[in-house]
Amino acid sequence: MKASGMLRFVFSGYSIWLEPEQFHFDLDSAIQVASKELDAYPIPAPHVTLLYGITGLTEKEMINRFRSVFTNEVQSWPPLLHKGFISDIELEGVNGGLMDMAWMEVSFETSKEHEALVDRIQDVFVDQVEPTSRVPWAPHASLAYTNPDALIPLEVLEDLLERFPTLTRSRRVAGVSLWSTQGTIDQWKRLHRIRFDGSKQSE
């Protein structure tokens, strides 16, 4: 079963991603294998989304706020504890959905410590984030995005787990990055990255 190629959904704004630890590049490899099996455009980088769809700020303002909060306040992130796997479909405007896609993910647990940090990061950008209502964080690392014509088959996940058994492991967070997620998935661009070991990278 094949997905219908390039994801049609047009995304918006800026996004802030956590960069999870990898074991022998397992997340990178799983994303590439999944995209080939599904005939889908690969997710640009393994990530756990903190905020999506930030608008109302210029790129320079976004970078300045990002640098400030992750240099002066949030200099590390608690580990992500493995929870399970999900294959699902989301439709924009349905049950709080923000986009139209089918996806497959590695799910992680949230915690009081995580939620407090998410609250602080959201406070920095709260006037620009939609929706403004705060719901519990649902940390996950997506392995594939396809159009919402059908669920991603369970066989794809089973194949990935056989090839990359470390997908079941909990992970440290290696860093955080700021992305422009305006447009289709092939138009996304990383703008700045801060590693939690103290190194910084802008692009």
Side-chain angles (χ1 to χ4, degrees):
M1 180 177 179
K2 293 285 187 180
S4 49
M6 174 68 72
L7 187 62
R8 295 185 295 267
F9 187 75
V10 178
F11 297 82
S12 63
Y14 298 96
S15 296
I16 298 173
W17 294 355
L18 296 178
E19 298 186 353
E21 172 186 25
Q22 297 201 59
F23 305 106
H24 305 291
F25 303 100
D26 58 340
L27 293 173
D28 280 314
S29 300
I31 286 170
Q32 293 303 317
V33 169
S35 68
K36 290 179 182 178
E37 291 191 8
L38 295 167
D39 189 27
Y41 193 89
I43 295 170
H47 67 277
V48 173
T49 301
L50 275 179
L51 293 180
Y52 160 74
I54 305 167
T55 59
L57 295 172
T58 67
E59 181 175 312
K60 183 177 180 180
E61 289 170 333
M62 280 297 307
I63 291 174
N64 286 342
R65 290 194 187 192
F66 177 85
R67 284 174 172 165
S68 178
V69 70
F70 287 108
T71 299
N72 300 320
E73 295 186 51
V74 181
Q75 299 176 343
S76 64
W77 199 271
L80 299 167
L81 302 182
H82 179 79
K83 182 178 181 181
F85 300 93
I86 292 176
S87 176
D88 206 350
I89 290 176
E90 177 174 320
L91 298 175
E92 185 179 17
V94 177
N95 297 323
L98 299 177
M99 55 199 71
D100 295 332
M101 66 163 63
W103 83 98
M104 178 173 58
E105 70 174 52
V106 181
S107 306
F108 301 102
E109 300 279 0
T110 189
S111 67
K112 290 182 179 179
E113 190 176 6
H114 283 141
E115 295 295 337
L117 286 168
V118 174
D119 283 343
R120 176 59 195 132
I121 301 306
Q122 191 169 26
D123 284 346
V124 176
F125 304 98
V126 67
D127 292 337
Q128 291 77 36
V129 177
E130 296 181 359
T132 56
S133 57
R134 173 80 162 87
V135 297
W137 189 44
H140 63 274
S142 293
L143 301 175
Y145 299 148
T146 67
N147 290 307
D149 307 316
L151 283 169
I152 295 175
L154 182 61
E155 291 80 2
V156 177
L157 176 58
E158 291 173 343
D159 177 59
L160 292 179
L161 288 173
E162 183 175 348
R163 296 189 191 207
F164 310 108
T166 52
L167 291 176
T168 62
R169 294 180 63 176
S170 298
R171 296 171 190 267
R172 295 175 300 160
V173 177
V176 62
S177 55
L178 170 65
W179 286 70
S180 169
T181 47
Q182 182 70 41
T184 52
I185 188 172
D186 58 313
Q187 297 175 309
W188 293 358
K189 179 183 177 183
R190 187 171 65 197
L191 303 176
H192 198 72
R193 166 195 270 175
I194 294 177
R195 303 284 294 180
F196 286 140
D197 61 7
S199 62
K200 303 174 180 64
Q201 179 180 344
S202 58
E203 307 205 346

